[in-house]
Amino acid sequence: RATKSTFEYYRVLMEMMAKLRDGHSNVYMPRVLSEKVYGRPLLRADLVEGKVIVTSILGDEVKSKGIKIGQEITKIDGFSAKEYGEKYVMPYQSSSTKQDLVKRTYNYFLFAGEKGKPINLSLVDEKGKTFGAQVQRYYGAEMRKLVTRKPSKAFEFEILPNNIAYVSLNTFGNNKAAEEFEKNFDAIAKADALIIDVRRNGGGNSRVGWTVLSMLTQKEFQTSKWHTREYKPAYRAWGRPEGKFGDEAGSFSAHKSKYFDKPVVVLTSPATFSAAEDFAVAFDVMDRGLIIGEPTGGSTGQPLFFRLPGGGSARVTSKRDSYPSGKEFVGVGIQPDKLVEPTIKDVRAGRDTVLRFASQEILKLLAK
């Protein structure tokens, strides 16, 4: 009631929904306000070893200001970078785990704001020199025109040194990841080992990931266990306990003709989310190989969408998922067998900390 605009109204709703601490329960601003809230500069950051570090540069405008990957952002609009994130970004992020909240705050939404409104940054380079830079926020077609970095594809494949196949499955939002994995299977099968990277996979349709897993086994495998509420008004009136529907683990059949029988490692991060976590759960239960990296975002489930006054919308989770055994991963995250986190030194050198470690672990497995 106290809000004076649609924008303020939605900010209050977002702050309220964030208190539910569920990554699949969100409030979305009306489209007419998109330019006011989703404008971004041509760079991204992340929290690395407790510091806000530039991890991606999307366009030449940022480069011209002397900003480079690996530099530390110490201040944003006069506030310390972490204080800015905690005060102006974090309260509005729906998340199920601390690692998901940190990812949303310092990577996805740290610089989000009004299109055309500049951001004043203070940075420190690797030699300890401090400098300031002002960067502009862009949105929509203007942003797409200025971005020089190529967007990631649903499926990426290459052969690494020591004949290790590297496959990055970056989204399950369509069938492309499974289709391309099957299409390239013969080339993948020639490798001595396989690394599957789902660190940037925010989810989509769980069956896409399970289809990939079906080519790593010769037998049926279990998928997540889930249940949803079964509401009967009369039962509630009688004081009887609320029921639930489901509560059984699913299963998925092995591929009829394709089977990769060599060592496999899966890479995860806090950005591994939703259907990509369903993939990681099934892989973990298969006992097919190691999970290496960081805990996943810890949120999956079928959200129920509905409209809100003023043209926006929201969603809330309608089912609860777990491991087939009942072990929880929602609100916790799928824990890696080997915890490996990026380092500032590697970010500056352009090295992938987690991938390097995984490659070394695979060589140990092959040596055995």
Side-chain angles (χ1 to χ4, degrees):
R1 290 180 177 178
T3 58
K4 295 180 173 60
S5 67
T6 302
F7 172 75
E8 288 184 9
Y9 168 71
Y10 272 87
R11 291 282 278 180
V12 169
L13 294 186
M14 292 171 73
E15 189 174 13
M16 178 196 72
M17 190 69 89
K19 294 182 184 297
L20 295 180
R21 288 165 42 177
D22 181 78
H24 275 69
S25 298
N26 315 71
V27 169
Y28 301 100
M29 288 272 186
R31 189 168 295 179
V32 294
L33 292 175
S34 293
E35 292 188 3
K36 187 175 179 64
V37 293
Y38 298 130
R40 287 180 172 87
L42 297 168
L43 79 157
R44 297 287 182 270
D46 220 327
L47 200 65
V48 183
E49 296 186 296
K51 296 181 179 181
V52 180
I53 302 296
V54 177
T55 53
S56 181
I57 292 178
L58 309 180
D60 295 333
E61 184 224 4
V62 171
K63 293 179 183 178
S64 70
K65 297 178 183 293
I67 299 175
K68 298 179 181 179
I69 290 175
Q71 293 174 343
E72 180 187 358
I73 299 172
T74 56
K75 290 186 178 181
I76 302 173
D77 287 342
F79 294 89
S80 76
K82 292 182 74 173
E83 181 185 4
Y84 181 91
E86 291 171 1
K87 185 174 182 179
Y88 294 107
V89 184
M90 192 174 284
Y92 307 99
Q93 306 308 317
S94 293
S95 63
S96 299
T97 60
K98 180 180 178 181
Q99 63 266 25
D100 179 29
L101 182 59
V102 166
K103 176 63 70 172
R104 290 173 185 272
T105 299
Y106 295 103
N107 180 253
Y108 300 159
F109 295 105
L110 183 63
F111 302 123
E114 188 170 357
K115 171 189 171 183
K117 186 176 181 180
I119 308 169
N120 293 296
L121 303 175
S122 292
L123 303 100
V124 179
D125 66 18
E126 58 186 88
K127 296 181 179 179
K129 181 182 177 181
T130 300
F131 68 100
Q134 187 179 84
V135 293
Q136 190 65 264
R137 288 187 177 102
Y138 301 98
Y139 180 79
E142 186 180 22
M143 168 69 99
R144 291 190 292 273
K145 183 178 179 181
L146 293 170
V147 170
T148 56
R149 191 186 72 174
K150 293 181 180 180
S152 60
K153 300 177 181 178
F155 174 90
E156 296 174 358
F157 166 53
E158 64 176 305
I159 297 294
L160 303 178
N162 300 301
N163 199 31
I164 299 171
Y166 170 80
V167 170
S168 187
L169 307 175
N170 298 316
T171 181
F172 294 150
N174 53 46
N175 291 324
K176 204 72 176 176
E179 290 172 354
E180 289 297 313
F181 190 91
E182 187 167 8
K183 180 180 176 180
N184 288 275
F185 183 83
D186 290 343
I188 294 169
K190 292 177 182 178
D192 294 325
L194 171 63
I195 296 174
I196 299 178
D197 192 345
V198 290
R199 286 178 293 172
R200 294 172 292 277
N201 193 321
N205 187 332
S206 301
R207 295 185 66 85
V208 179
W210 296 337
T211 299
V212 172
L213 290 178
S214 74
M215 290 175 258
L216 307 182
T217 183
Q218 287 183 307
K219 60 183 180 180
E220 185 177 82
F221 57 93
Q222 286 189 307
T223 58
S224 305
K225 179 179 180 180
W226 67 273
H227 72 260
T228 189
R229 291 180 178 181
E230 190 169 56
Y231 176 61
K232 296 180 180 179
Y235 280 23
R236 183 175 180 181
W238 296 334
R240 295 173 67 166
E242 184 180 81
K244 60 183 180 180
F245 174 81
D247 212 23
E248 296 294 333
S251 62
F252 206 86
S253 299
H255 195 282
K256 293 180 179 179
S257 60
K258 300 186 185 302
Y259 171 47
F260 186 87
D261 62 348
K262 300 161 191 173
V264 183
V265 163
V266 166
L267 310 184
T268 61
S269 81
T272 306
F273 199 72
S274 195
E277 294 186 274
D278 295 336
F279 170 90
V281 164
F283 178 80
D284 197 11
V285 172
M286 289 167 71
D287 198 24
R288 186 64 180 81
L290 295 174
I291 295 177
I292 294 176
E294 301 170 88
T296 64
S299 179
T300 193
Q302 177 59 55
L304 170 68
F305 287 85
F306 52 96
R307 294 179 180 177
L308 293 173
S313 62
R315 65 177 189 169
V316 292
T317 309
S318 64
K319 73 180 179 76
R320 185 184 186 97
D321 290 74
S322 68
Y323 272 78
S325 65
K327 174 184 173 182
E328 299 286 0
F329 70 91
V330 173
V332 181
I334 297 157
Q335 304 301 306
D337 298 297
K338 303 280 186 177
L339 176 63
V340 185
E341 300 173 320
T343 67
I344 295 174
K345 182 179 179 180
D346 280 349
V347 170
R348 287 174 174 166
R351 293 190 296 258
D352 188 329
T353 311
V354 179
L355 181 57
R356 289 178 72 206
F357 183 91
S359 298
Q360 292 166 1
E361 287 298 304
I362 279 186
L363 290 179
K364 293 178 185 178
L365 292 173
L366 291 174
K368 293 179 181 179

